[in-house]
Structures are given as C-alpha cells and as structure tokens.
Amino acid sequence: MPDLITSIDYLADLELYKTEKPYAVVVSPENHDESIETNNLVFESREGLTITDIRGHENDISLETSGFTVTPNKSQLSNVESWDEIRAYQKETEQFLKDWFQADSVFCFDLKLRKNEPVTRLVKDLRDWTIPDAPAYGAHNDVTFDSGPMIIDNNLPTDLKEKYLQPGYRFRIVK
C-alpha cells in the first residue's frame, strides 16, 4: 500500500495553556450542567503528513528504536461487549503481556471499548465499561512523565504496591 498524505489534528499552541492546563472532563448524564465548561481544548490541523503502511516491515520496528512494537497476538474472543467478556479479555491480555515482557506481574488498570461511529459523551455512564466510546480525537498521548507514577499509585492494588514499590523493580505502562 502506498504512503498516505493526510492531516492530523493537534492541540493548538495557545497562550492560554501557559497558565491553564488543557483539560476535558467527561461527565455522566445525571451530573451534566450545560452552563459549566467541560473543556478548554482547541485543535489545529497539520496538513501534508505522511502515514506509512508498516505491513511487511514489522521486524524493522522495535520498542527501543520506534517507541512501539508490533506483536502477533490473536484473541480467543470474537466479541468483547459484556462484563464477563471484558474481564476475560483483560485476563488474556495480562497473560500475553506477562509472557511477552517476561514480567513477574501484569495488572490491567483500564479498558476502553471504542466504536468507529459518533458517540455523544453526555449519554455515557462512566461506571459502565461496556458502553463504547467514540474514537480518540486528534494526536495525543495517554501517559506522561508526570502521570505515569500517579497511574501506578492510583491503580495498583495495595498488595502489589507493597511487593513492587521497592528497589530492583520497574514498571511499564502499556497502552
């Protein structure tokens, strides 16, 4: 497949963001108040970006050189919609990552089902992971240098914290 020339939306470089961090708040329907601003995000499109099809070149890509890797893994689940299917998918993914990274332990702290169709966030029950979300908008990263330790602290069960928050262990957050 030939390269694709396209545009990608990025967060605009606004003066506002020097004094106020960009934010977006997803609220559940019962807490939604239209008079309260739920985000301060402004995007700008960058044109003429080249997207290269990497199929057939997966072995040329590594975590160390590209920041990501391609790993073959076929799920045993054909559909993930119910709570039981979500939990089975989490367990299957944890085992795959444990084997792939030769890790002592893997803990799935988050899961987001996405559907490639418009979804209004205002009808989303934030406690129900079975309700799909819309595709992510624009270029973004899920974990930052500052948020990584907070994610570990907020999500790792106490027994795992006691074991792994010790010298000699390291964490990887895989998204």
Side-chain angles (χ1 to χ4, degrees), residues 58-78:
E58 294 89 346
N59 293 333
D60 301 336
I61 296 167
S62 74
L63 197 56
E64 291 75 19
T65 61
S66 303
F68 70 97
T69 189
V70 179
T71 60
N73 181 41
K74 177 119 172 91
S75 176
Q76 298 301 307
L77 298 160
S78 60

Side-chain angles (χ1 to χ4, degrees), residues 78-94:
S78 60
N79 209 9
V80 178
E81 293 180 345
S82 72
W83 282 104
D84 289 340
E85 291 163 333
I86 288 172
R87 193 65 199 127
Y89 184 76
Q90 284 177 316
K91 289 294 182 191
E92 183 182 76
T93 302
E94 286 172 348

Side-chain angles (χ1 to χ4, degrees), residues 80-112:
V80 178
E81 293 180 345
S82 72
W83 282 104
D84 289 340
E85 291 163 333
I86 288 172
R87 193 65 199 127
Y89 184 76
Q90 284 177 316
K91 289 294 182 191
E92 183 182 76
T93 302
E94 286 172 348
Q95 187 59 54
F96 171 75
L97 292 171
K98 187 174 181 179
D99 295 342
W100 178 260
F101 287 114
Q102 299 175 2
D104 190 46
S105 181
V106 170
F107 174 72
C108 181
F109 69 91
D110 188 20
L111 184 134
K112 186 171 295 287

Side-chain angles (χ1 to χ4, degrees), residues 30-43:
E30 64 269 13
N31 295 325
H32 180 63
D33 178 345
E34 298 220 11
S35 68
I36 297 173
E37 190 66 43
T38 57
N39 77 77
N40 68 350
L41 305 179
V42 176
F43 290 90

